[in-house]
Amino acid sequence: MQSQHVAPRHAASSAGAARPVVDVERARAALVEHYPRLVRLAYLVLPPDPGHGRRVLTAHALTQRALPRGRRQAASAIPAQHGAPSGAADGPDDSPGYAFVRLQVVRTALEASLPLRRRAWPRRSQLPPLLPQVWGLRLFPRSGGADELALDQRLAALSAPARAAYLLRGLERLPDPDVREVLAAAGVEAPEAALAEANGVPAQYTLLDSPEFDPCSLQARPTDLMRRRQHTKAVLAAAAALALCGALVALPRDGWSPDGAAAPAYAHNPAAEAALDPGRLTRVAPTAWQSAARTDFSVWPARGALTGDTALLRRALAVWARPGETVRVSATPGTQTGGPAGPPQLLYAGEVDAARVVVLYDGLRIARYAEPKDGTRGAALDFARVDGATGTAASAVVLGRSDGNVRYLTAPWVTKAAERDLMQPGSGAMDLDLTDGVTAPFAGPAVQPGACTSWNVLQLTDASGTHLATDLGELVPARLTTGRPGSTGDAPGAQALRTWAPFACSLGEERSAGVSSVNAWAYADQPLPDAGGTAAWVCTRAETWRGAGSVALAQFHTPQGRFGALAAKGTNVTACGPRDPHVLAGVLWKSGTGAWYLVAASSRNTASIRATGGVTGATRGRLLAVRAEQGAQARLKATLDDGTALNALR
């Protein structure tokens, strides 16, 4: 790393008399309003050496100490951000108060980056923060993709002033003359050199808004529990020795231990040691799936060019059992992150884009270990629950994401892979090259910025037919189906694609929720009043791997609109599912004549629908259309043919 050149704090204060005065209350208001962005700025300026946990707490401490010390204080004549960053609804303002606290954050972060020197008192920012403090937990931001990992490594190679210059350009959108002023005011001796060094990193400023660089959105893991236990035992050793001797005298024959016949806590366990041995990994023959009684992950062969790299496999197993502080660990909801009970099965080991990737399976979970090609710093460990996955549910695993693209490892029984835009049912599928089961990269829907204009899905073909799956930001893609609950089928047919097209973007609501499959059920077509055409009612239901957390969305689509509109949402409900294949929902709709109507529809076997509250009306059958006022609130209730009451989805 290049040397850092940061002058003492008084170097930038010579012109303080001519500067405007900042009121401490306004500075406090600016800090509170823009606290997440200021903490992100401090976090990225700080060096990564202490580890993510120490870096997160230091960033919060430096930001919280950025307020003026008196009621009023001279402000720095530093320009504020020129325009809010793209996609940031709460971009910084151009007030002197914000400019002051931003300068304080940059200055103290640069000071904290300086190495400690002998025979010199350390500055406060160079010491571990007194507040905030977290005991018993390790905190770190969520893991990102290969692009964020590469950018983090490039920033780590810069000097602290160069990192600050890059971030003032990217996060704060300051032009270079203003960046020079901020760096000079923060005590940097050579702002021009810092800008020149920052030019060596590509301008990937949109990645700076990634959750990987957000120290306000954190994941928590326990600290080293064994070390904490050892320290506690060491402190109490003298007192415990006497008590233990007395207890041993009267110890019953069977012992008092709550663990009974279990071995001591630090005894070697053969099963646990076997799980860490790369030579004991389960490897399935390439043709085993052809004669197996079931088609699931247990019959996937080991693929990839690095299946013989013992060192890589050993690192992957060790990190799975004992992830270090710098490892980014993520898991789908309801998925445990502990080590395997025994030797897992190797599914893949090879290079994917800028990383070395190992994919393992322990019968319940898929674990993906990824590390940079040029080292192990920044390694990531991801988990997905796949218990009970067979057939199409076990047809693909995400190998990696990079530059908005996604690569899959497909099952050995997959004969063809393609991509298609779910929003364009009339367009054909584009074939993807398959190399040893690995697809060519294609644009994934889970990372598309801005408005939803397309939704690319994976189309797989095997001996049983063609299936669709979509990337929802997890290791295993979610299967897409259509049809009435209890008789659903895969969705590559023309009618099924037309059913999904208006509602494809609603799949974004289910990202990172542990979803295994999503079904679209077109349960009613309704003629609209005032010659408005025929509207389609569709219920999409997302099922999860863990069972709980299913989500049902009743959606409404008119001939005039491209997208469906959300009418009702229910979480942990049985509606639209095989246990309760019924649904009732309604919306306020404005006709072409300007009149407002309450339109509602229910599934088959509905005898009547009644509306009460702000809108009153009733109808025989399963379709209701009643004149209403704009903004009216109504309660819907239906009666099935067998007399059962059916409430509206919520």
Side-chain angles (χ1 to χ4, degrees):
M1 179 180 294
Q2 301 185 18
S3 61
Q4 302 171 339
H5 304 280
V6 181
R9 178 173 299 187
H10 59 73
S13 60
S14 59
R19 294 172 182 166
V21 173
V22 173
D23 183 79
V24 68
E25 289 299 323
R26 294 189 178 183
R28 183 195 66 81
L31 187 146
V32 172
E33 181 181 1
H34 305 298
Y35 184 83
R37 179 162 295 276
L38 291 168
V39 177
R40 187 188 294 259
L41 177 63
Y43 177 82
L44 289 169
V45 173
L46 288 171
D49 297 332
H52 289 287
R54 168 81 174 274
R55 189 179 174 191
V56 164
L57 294 178
T58 302
H60 282 273
L62 297 181
T63 305
Q64 294 171 13
R65 295 204 300 261
L67 282 178
R69 296 188 180 278
R71 296 295 302 175
R72 300 173 70 84
Q73 181 165 332
S76 57
I78 302 302
Q81 174 172 314
H82 289 223
S86 174
D90 57 341
D93 54 38
D94 55 0
S95 66
Y98 178 76
F100 179 87
V101 294
R102 178 180 61 195
L103 174 60
Q104 293 298 104
V105 168
V106 172
R107 175 184 290 144
T108 54
L110 290 173
E111 290 177 354
S113 303
L114 294 172
L116 295 174
R117 298 179 180 177
R118 294 183 178 180
R119 301 179 182 178
W121 287 101
R123 300 176 186 177
R124 183 182 179 186
S125 56
Q126 293 177 279
L127 299 174
L130 296 177
L131 291 174
Q133 285 287 348
V134 177
W135 298 94
L137 289 175
R138 293 187 293 112
L139 302 178
F140 50 91
R142 297 182 179 276
S143 61
D147 295 338
E148 288 85 353
L149 175 60
L151 178 59
D152 192 27
Q153 291 175 334
R154 294 189 182 102
L155 292 177
L158 297 176
S159 64
R163 279 197 303 273
Y166 185 90
L167 297 168
L168 289 171
R169 283 173 172 170
L171 277 178
E172 297 298 296
R173 300 296 191 266
L174 293 181
D176 285 0
D178 296 345
V179 174
R180 294 188 193 95
E181 290 187 51
V182 175
L183 293 178
V188 176
E189 296 179 351
E192 288 290 346
L195 283 166
E197 184 181 351
N199 289 335
V201 177
Q204 298 174 300
Y205 298 143
T206 56
L207 296 179
L208 297 176
D209 291 326
S210 166
E212 181 174 2
F213 303 130
D214 184 7
C216 292
S217 178
L218 302 171
Q219 291 182 312
R221 293 292 183 272
T223 56
D224 191 333
L225 302 179
M226 303 301 293
R227 182 177 298 176
R228 284 163 49 185
R229 184 177 298 175
Q230 289 173 338
H231 289 175
T232 303
K233 288 181 178 180
V235 173
L236 301 176
L242 182 60
L244 180 62
C245 291
L248 289 175
V249 173
L251 183 66
R253 179 177 181 180
D254 293 335
W256 291 338
S257 171
D259 296 331
Y266 300 101
H268 292 288
N269 184 283
E273 292 179 345
L276 300 179
D277 183 0
R280 303 284 294 275
L281 283 172
T282 301
R283 299 171 186 253
V284 176
T287 58
W289 65 273
Q290 298 177 1
S291 57
R294 59 184 183 181
T295 52
D296 58 12
F297 290 109
S298 68
V299 295
W300 279 34
R303 287 170 288 182
L306 300 180
T307 54
D309 190 336
T310 303
L312 171 63
L313 300 178
R314 189 181 304 278
R315 289 195 299 273
L317 292 169
V319 170
W320 186 353
R322 305 181 309 277
E325 290 188 356
T326 61
V327 178
R328 299 172 178 86
V329 181
S330 68
T332 56
T335 304
Q336 301 299 318
T337 59
Q345 179 182 343
L346 177 62
L347 303 185
Y348 181 86
E351 293 185 352
V352 180
D353 298 322
R356 290 187 291 265
V357 175
V358 178
V359 180
L360 301 165
Y361 171 63
D362 69 350
L364 296 175
R365 301 167 294 172
I366 294 288
R368 182 185 65 187
Y369 169 79
E371 66 180 24
K373 287 183 180 180
D374 54 356
T376 60
R377 185 176 184 83
L381 184 63
D382 304 302
F383 294 92
R385 182 172 173 175
V386 292
D387 47 315
T390 60
T392 56
S395 291
V397 170
V398 173
L399 277 185
R401 299 181 181 90
S402 178
D403 298 326
N405 296 323
V406 60
R407 288 181 187 268
Y408 291 94
L409 176 67
T410 61
W413 54 84
V414 170
T415 58
K416 184 179 179 181
E419 64 166 308
R420 70 158 55 246
D421 185 355
L422 198 58
M423 298 180 66
Q424 301 293 335
S427 63
M430 293 185 294
D431 291 344
L432 296 171
D433 291 337
L434 275 178
T435 304
D436 196 19
V438 179
T439 68
F442 69 97
V447 291
Q448 288 181 347
C452 179
T453 58
S454 65
W455 193 275
N456 292 335
V457 297
L458 177 67
Q459 180 173 296
L460 300 176
T461 302
D462 56 29
S464 64
T466 303
H467 323 282
L468 293 184
T470 184
D471 178 19
L472 295 181
E474 300 174 337
L475 281 183
V476 180
R479 179 188 177 194
L480 299 180
T481 60
T482 58
R484 181 178 175 83
S487 58
T488 61
D490 290 294
Q495 180 58 44
L497 293 173
R498 286 193 294 271
T499 298
W500 262 115
F503 312 102
C505 290
S506 68
L507 290 167
E509 298 290 330
E510 311 304 332
R511 291 175 182 163
S512 303
V515 172
S516 60
S517 65
V518 186
N519 182 63
W521 171 33
Y523 67 89
D525 291 325
Q526 181 173 21
L528 297 173
D530 298 341
T534 301
W537 287 91
V538 170
C539 186
T540 59
R541 181 180 174 89
E543 303 288 357
T544 66
W545 290 104
R546 64 189 183 279
S550 59
V551 177
L553 304 178
Q555 304 189 64
F556 176 74
H557 178 239
T558 64
Q560 295 79 21
R562 182 184 180 189
F563 303 102
L566 179 63
K569 177 179 181 179
T571 302
N572 288 320
V573 296
T574 57
C576 297
R579 293 176 57 187
D580 183 15
H582 302 95
V583 63
L584 168 64
V587 295
L588 285 178
W589 173 77
K590 184 179 180 181
S591 72
T593 64
W596 285 90
Y597 291 87
L598 170 65
V599 292
S602 181
S603 49
R604 289 186 302 177
N605 303 323
T606 299
S608 63
I609 301 176
R610 178 178 296 276
T612 58
V615 182
T616 58
T619 184
R620 291 184 177 276
R622 60 193 185 113
L623 303 176
L624 172 69
V626 183
R627 285 292 297 268
E629 297 294 331
Q630 181 179 1
Q633 299 289 326
R635 293 185 295 275
L636 292 172
K637 196 164 189 178
T639 302
L640 301 181
D641 290 341
D642 60 3
T644 303
L646 177 64
N647 294 319
L649 178 67
R650 63 179 59 194

